[in-house]
Amino acid sequence: MRYYSTNRQSEFTTLQDAVVRGLAPDRGLYMPERIATIPKAFFNHIGEMSLTDIAYVVANTLFGEDIDSETLKTIVNDTLNFEIPLVKVDDRRYSLELFHGPTLAFKDVGARFMARLLGHFNAADSEGDVNVLVATSGDTGSAVANGFLNVPGVKVFVLYPKDKVSKIQEAQFTTLGSNITAIEVDGTFDDCQALVKSAFMDKELNEKMKLTSANSINVARFIPQMFYYFHAYAQLIRMGEKTDNVVVAVPSGNFGNICAGLIGKRMGLPIKRFIAANNRNDVFYEYLLTGKYNPRKSVATIANAMDVGDPSNFARILDLYGNSHDAIAAEISGCTYDDDLIRATLKETYDRTGYLLDPHGAVAYRALTEYLAPGETGIFLETAHPAKFKETVEAITGEPVNVPDRLAAFMKGKKETVKMSAQFPAFKKYLMSL
């Protein structure tokens, strides 16, 4: 399988090169040359299959030409050594709980898969260490740091905006040491992302060190996220629920998560439509309404992992639909909620059903309460454990949030960071000095 850049100004390349590069030379994002359709026989039996069996079929459909089957099975099995249950919240609305992995966030799936895939490629390459640069607004940093922790031949640099992630999130990537370095940037997530992209485009820096990214701009990070969409569909079948009109609401920030789901749909997954649920950072919602994309500085909210004003994966969505606004709007609707509505949704749902949402899941759940039509079955992605936003959630519900043991363990570590301005020359100087 060859991979091309969404900017169409770079040559086609291999999976290995796309993964190691992260970003194409023309600053575009890599996409697979073709998206194969999975045979209908697979969907006839999907309800009888395990998460890892489903994931292997999906992974093999995309990556099978580039990775031998036994290696791919090992990568899938090692990645998905935890449950991803679908939980009924109320009538026709289900939570896909993506917080049962090591860092209690959905990004464990993509980060762990990428770490293992990059380790596989790097083992066959004798050109020295790979340096992974990752910008985070919260959960990406912890998932990537823990996914790559102690992986031989890989060094990870996590860039995060100062004072704009929760204390628990921060502890998950600033206390690890080893091959993980946390860089505290005096700016926003968009500033962190800009530093990463600028590093990839700097010729002198790339001649000195091998760089790649573990943000969802990397094909090995975002594509594996489609595994759990197929798994959610399988669980609906096992529950005996209707599956002919499935709607999925996705809390959307950098749009890697929903983009993976859209590719899954293109491969044959019977999802009727998607809802891109936004907080106040509503650049995509504005695009759906106007057909114009106007990126801008992100706004801080209580759903901080979605605080993105210029989502990178918007380029992939445009590419997937041939730059057609009509085609995009036909399969994706949007909504936007401020902090007060997020708080109200979280509290009302908890009081009425006993189900505790995190702020991101609350955005997606509210989208289903407002936009799920009669006869449709709704799934929303619950992307992180509520304990990762303990103070916020407790202030909303008035009830204590139980912190899982593996999350509490991070809080006992010593924070170590490198403080950095949001200007690229300072970041480049730091990397060049290593």
Side-chain angles (χ1 to χ4, degrees):
M1 176 83 77
R2 297 190 306 170
Y3 289 77
Y4 66 90
S5 166
T6 53
N7 285 343
R8 312 282 176 150
Q9 300 299 310
S10 292
E11 295 181 356
F12 283 83
T13 192
T14 63
L15 173 63
Q16 179 170 347
D17 189 57
V19 172
V20 173
R21 280 183 181 271
L23 197 66
D26 63 1
R27 300 183 71 91
L29 306 187
Y30 284 115
M31 287 283 281
E33 182 179 22
R34 62 187 182 279
I35 300 172
T37 301
I38 300 177
K40 288 186 178 180
F42 168 74
F43 295 102
N44 292 338
H45 298 282
I46 193 173
E48 305 159 18
M49 299 172 68
S50 68
L51 168 59
T52 51
D53 287 343
I54 291 169
Y56 172 72
V57 172
V58 176
N60 191 56
T61 302
L62 282 168
F63 302 132
E65 295 178 14
D66 302 292
I67 310 170
D68 70 89
S69 60
E70 288 305 312
T71 298
L72 192 54
K73 283 181 181 178
T74 298
I75 290 173
V76 167
N77 291 338
D78 287 350
T79 297
L80 298 170
N81 63 351
F82 52 89
E83 295 298 316
I84 305 179
L86 188 70
V87 177
K88 188 171 185 177
V89 176
D90 53 20
D91 185 41
R92 297 185 298 124
R93 288 188 286 266
Y94 295 81
S95 170
L96 183 61
E97 293 188 345
L98 300 170
F99 53 73
H100 294 276
T103 71
L104 290 82
F106 80 96
K107 294 174 182 179
D108 281 325
V109 174
R112 287 166 64 80
F113 186 92
M114 182 190 168
R116 284 150 182 77
L117 185 60
L118 188 60
H120 164 69
F121 286 144
N122 200 50
D125 190 342
S126 59
E127 294 184 9
D129 290 344
V130 175
N131 297 277
V132 177
L133 307 182
V134 58
T136 185
S137 55
D139 289 329
T140 296
S142 54
V144 169
N146 285 270
F148 281 90
L149 184 63
N150 296 322
V151 172
V154 179
K155 295 179 180 178
V156 179
F157 300 87
V158 180
L159 288 76
Y160 73 103
K162 180 182 178 182
D163 299 329
K164 293 182 176 65
V165 303
S166 76
K167 294 299 182 185
I168 291 179
Q169 286 175 320
E170 186 179 47
Q172 287 186 298
F173 55 81
T174 62
T175 62
L176 300 176
S178 185
N179 60 326
I180 311 298
T181 300
I183 299 179
E184 191 174 8
V185 177
D186 189 10
T188 66
F189 168 76
D190 293 306
D191 293 323
C192 296
Q193 188 160 253
L195 289 175
V196 170
K197 289 183 177 180
S198 295
F200 292 143
M201 295 300 108
D202 188 277
K203 182 179 179 180
E204 184 182 16
L205 197 53
N206 281 267
E207 287 176 349
K208 175 178 171 60
M209 57 200 313
K210 189 191 299 183
L211 299 176
T212 191
S213 172
N215 280 94
S216 56
I217 61 175
N218 196 303
V219 291
R221 240 295 309 279
F222 96 92
I223 286 180
Q225 293 174 171
M226 73 174 68
F227 298 159
Y228 44 72
Y229 289 94
F230 287 85
H231 182 52
Y233 180 79
Q235 290 182 82
L236 275 182
I237 292 175
R238 286 200 289 273
M239 292 175 179
E241 298 294 341
K242 292 179 62 177
T243 57
D244 52 346
N245 287 300
V246 177
V247 176
V248 182
V250 184
S252 299
N254 218 16
F255 279 75
N257 211 356
I258 196 169
C259 190
L262 294 168
I263 292 179
K265 178 176 170 63
R266 190 69 59 89
M267 294 174 70
L269 181 63
I271 293 177
K272 179 181 179 182
R273 61 188 178 90
F274 289 83
I275 304 173
N278 292 156
N279 57 21
R280 284 183 59 205
N281 296 280
D282 58 357
V283 62
F284 183 77
Y285 179 67
E286 181 182 83
Y287 166 78
L288 290 175
L289 294 179
T290 67
K292 297 179 180 179
Y293 180 66
N294 297 306
R296 48 188 171 267
K297 196 175 184 66
S298 59
V299 178
T301 76
I302 60 171
N304 66 288
M306 298 157 60
D307 293 349
V308 183
D310 187 8
S312 290
N313 287 287
F314 179 69
R316 283 193 170 113
I317 294 174
L318 284 178
D319 185 83
L320 198 60
Y321 289 91
N323 291 286
S324 170
H325 173 265
D326 289 344
I328 291 171
E331 292 193 348
I332 315 171
S333 58
C335 54
T336 175
Y337 304 117
D338 62 19
D339 282 357
D340 288 342
L341 284 174
I342 296 172
R343 290 188 183 97
T345 303
L346 199 156
K347 180 168 176 53
E348 189 277 332
T349 305
Y350 180 68
D351 290 345
R352 176 172 52 84
T353 70
Y355 191 85
L356 185 60
L357 300 161
D358 92 295
H360 307 80
V363 174
Y365 176 77
R366 187 175 185 96
L368 289 182
T369 65
E370 295 187 357
Y371 298 107
L372 195 65
E376 293 179 334
T377 302
I379 296 172
F380 69 96
L381 272 53
E382 181 48 281
T383 53
H385 194 287
K388 298 193 79 168
F389 311 94
K390 178 177 170 63
E391 294 179 2
T392 298
V393 173
E394 288 181 344
I396 294 170
T397 65
E399 300 286 341
V401 175
N402 179 52
V403 178
D405 291 342
R406 64 183 182 277
L407 196 58
F410 287 109
M411 300 301 292
K412 299 176 182 177
K414 180 182 178 183
K415 174 182 173 181
E416 294 184 1
T417 66
V418 175
K419 299 187 184 301
M420 188 71 59
S421 77
Q423 305 304 311
F424 179 65
F427 183 49
K428 177 182 176 180
K429 181 179 179 181
Y430 167 73
L431 291 178
M432 292 290 289
S433 69
L434 298 176

